[in-house]
Amino acid sequence: MTWPVRRRPRGTRIRRGPVGAARRPYEPVLRRRDWTLPPPASRHRELISALPDEPVEGRPPLLFVHGAAMGAWAWERWLPQAAEAGWAAHAVSLRGHAKSDAPSPLARTPLRYYEHDVLQAITELPSPPVLIGHSLGGLVVQHVLERYRAAPAGVLVGPVPPAHGLEVLGGLVRHDPAALAAALAGREPRPRAELLVGRDTDHAIAQGWADRMGRESSVAATQALAPRRPRDIRAPLLVIGGGDDRVVPPHAVSRTARTYGVRAHLFRGLGHLLMLEEDGDGALRFMLRWLEDTLHATGRLRASAPSN
Amino acid sequence: MDRDTLVIGAGSSGLAAAKNLGLAGFEVDVVERADDLGGNWNFAAETSRVYGSTHMISSKPFTQYPDFPMPDRAPDYLHHTDVLAYLRRYADHFGVSDRIAFATSVEQLRPLGEARDSGWEVALTGRDGEETRHYRRVVIANGHNWSPKLPSYPGQDDFTGEIIHSADYKSAEQLAGKRVVVVGAGNTGCDIAVEGALRADATYHSTRRGYWYAPKYALGRPADQVSDLIFTLGLPLRATQWLFEQTAKLVVGRYERFGLPTPDHHFLETHPIVNQTLLYHIGHGEIAPVPDIARFDGEVVEFTDGTRVAADLVVFATGYLIRFPFLDDDALPWQDGRPQLYRNILHPHRDDLAVIGLIQPDSGQFCLVHWQTVLLARYLQLVRDNPAAAAVWRQRAADRLDERSQGGLALIDSTRHLIEVEHLDYIQDLAADIAALDALLHDEATRHEVVA
């Protein structure tokens, strides 16, 4: 019989001492920063929804989380399609993005405030949702999945990696250093269209999306380069990406997938904003099929799927 | 037929237990005596001990379940109606609501054997009459703030006025126009004294010793957030206490000026009393602080300093007893007035019985209860999936049965501190256990130093 003695897993503490004596923090149990300096409350959070005409019994809702400098609008192509396929689909705008207000200066907003926003959106849904995050939102979703263990599944779309963020940095430096500098400085990134989409998508349309982007928190963007790696995600994960993605390149997506012991699914010809690209519809169909299969396999699709 | 898991009580602890055990794959039934969920927060229920004006005394981030934050639109300190609404949304969201049998009370729990996993025979009285069921395991979450603890003084039976326990205090209307003596300096006692200041003819607040009264706000922020910020400085305990005491002196000065006794202990050495308005009303002459009661004499209440006042109503805000009316005394390892359970949760000799929520933290309750139930779920999973590893873990737990997670504080000796925990100490003890159980569950033991 073996037993781990004394040396417990990293991040736990052993020392018994006076109140508040410095001990190694153990996220996500000891969330001291969230207790002492909680995220300022938002007055308005944008949540756009597309609901199916005939809901399929027992299916969890989907909650989409957008990436840097975007908003719930990033999912405007996928939401109605998901609803048509019988899924209740919701997309949240993080604080300071699109129509959600910024209760504190956006430039100094850390990632954990975004996690709070996603959790707040979750509590407004009738049952635990599948969390789908794109890019920076993919990183936020990884952290939320660590804290919110009731999620039946998670989907990461071209996610910012949970570590080795420099791979993303390298690509951006090569392809669009101006956008990167702007994002890190908290200005509107205004990236070049060809950075965002695959070769088949009209750059004029893509430029429209680029122009629609707002600002991003420079603190969050900086944190994303070297984030805290989530310790323990139990939800089934799907990791997908665009084969032509220049922001989070395919090898970075694959590496994220490997981190969680799954395989990445890369879609040829698609770029970073695959959920807005016409050819990205295939990725959505793939994702919904995967969800259906996974939820069946894990017994999460039962009519009265309650607390398990 | 054997059923899987029974949770007794659909209050803040029972709901979290049902949800987290359900997530871990257990089939959970919940029974609730009242006809709605919420336990103590279900104001309409006869078993509720909140009063009309009850608000949280810990702010949102400390109080909420960590995976289900209280809404942004709610204030820092929720009113009890908002707490009930929050618990309802939690139960609905996680699908617990469908698993609760309301108006069903547990009459008797009887062990089906001496073994760790014998299971329990449960006698229930529900809407459809009486029923006996067998459960593999039972989780008790019946609360510990409902059975009044009543003191007794000479002459009490012949007192001409009315005597109630704060359990029966529901609204300030009960004080209107009366001469009121409020006994006890707990948070309830102070709240009632303040309401007396606003409604009663005269209010006397009787306390046995001097206390530190913590404000609800400091530096424009909820004071518990500020005090945890101070804890993060990692100062030695005495330095932290000194800092708090100096702050108290800076804000209100010396308590003696208000006629209050000097605290006979250091800050943090009693359960915190969070009340910003008590001193204000004393200063306005609307509350008269008095010492402990010596005796009753007709309509007069006499205090230990010889003061005699005529009173119409005495409110004993003297706390509650830990009670499990459906359980024989020898079913739990009682010691010094409390069941001695590992981390106040696990029974040392049984895997089929656990208690959730049996803590009185110096902070929010729901958050700690969440991690209690996670620990319980992990342990039960280990018992189910890897009994050998569970046995080893249990041995280690047995050696640490006397750990109280009180942060090294020399809490004053009082029944009030029977189940007191210091939140940072307790949550880290829970976290360490959860991490160790996780490692065993996922067979990662080899990564760490091991012994044969």
Side-chain angles (χ1 to χ4, degrees), chain A residues 8 13 23 36 148 234, chain B residues 66 93 221 428-429 432 442:
Chain A
R8 300 187 205 174
R13 65 97 202 169
R23 294 164 167 179
T36 53
Y148 180 79
R234 294 269 167 243
Chain B
H93 180 89
R221 302 161 49 80
Q428 284 172 101
D429 284 337
H442 303 116

Side-chain angles (χ1 to χ4, degrees), chain A residues 159-234:
Chain A
V160 168
H164 51 271
L166 293 181
E167 289 179 4
V168 175
L169 189 69
L172 285 171
V173 168
R174 229 176 15 254
H175 296 297
D176 199 344
L180 173 68
L184 288 176
R187 296 195 309 273
E188 291 184 11
R190 306 251 169 231
R192 304 200 336 257
E194 53 267 39
L195 181 75
L196 299 175
V197 293
R199 55 178 176 265
D200 295 335
T201 299
D202 187 348
H203 285 185
I205 298 175
Q207 197 56 54
W209 301 328
D211 293 343
R212 210 170 157 185
M213 287 187 177
R215 292 184 302 135
E216 185 47 64
S217 153
S218 41
V219 167
T222 312
Q223 281 181 317
L225 296 176
R228 184 178 67 78
R229 189 185 145 181
R231 291 167 53 95
D232 187 22
I233 294 181
R234 294 269 167 243

Side-chain angles (χ1 to χ4, degrees), chain A residues 1 3 5 8 13 20 23 26 32 35-36 42 45 116 120 122-123 125 128 147-148 234 306-308, chain B residues 22-23 66 70 72 89 93 99 221 225 231-232 392-393 396 425 428-429 431-432 440 442 449 451:
Chain A
M1 175 47 58
W3 168 253
V5 212
R8 300 187 205 174
R13 65 97 202 169
R23 294 164 167 179
Y26 175 72
R32 223 143 123 172
W35 298 340
T36 53
S42 290
R45 189 179 312 103
H116 174 85
Q120 286 281 327
I122 288 174
T123 64
L125 300 178
R147 181 168 161 196
Y148 180 79
R234 294 269 167 243
S307 45
N308 53 10
Chain B
L23 264 181
M70 289 176 171
D72 268 359
R89 284 196 313 126
H93 180 89
R99 309 208 149 218
R221 302 161 49 80
Q225 298 174 14
F231 287 144
T232 53
V392 179
W393 189 85
R396 178 174 151 282
D425 203 19
Q428 284 172 101
D429 284 337
L440 288 169
H442 303 116
E449 193 185 324
V451 289

Side-chain angles (χ1 to χ4, degrees), chain A residues 52 54-62 81-88 90 126-130 152 288-289 291-293 295-296 300-305:
Chain A
E54 285 172 42
V56 180
E57 186 79 2
R59 267 189 188 170
L62 312 179
Q81 291 185 55
E84 209 162 296
W87 299 82
H90 311 268
S127 62
V130 173
L288 294 178
R289 210 164 44 239
L291 267 180
E292 180 100 41
D293 293 346
L295 297 177
H296 262 303
R300 301 288 296 243
L301 265 193
R302 280 177 303 149
S304 62

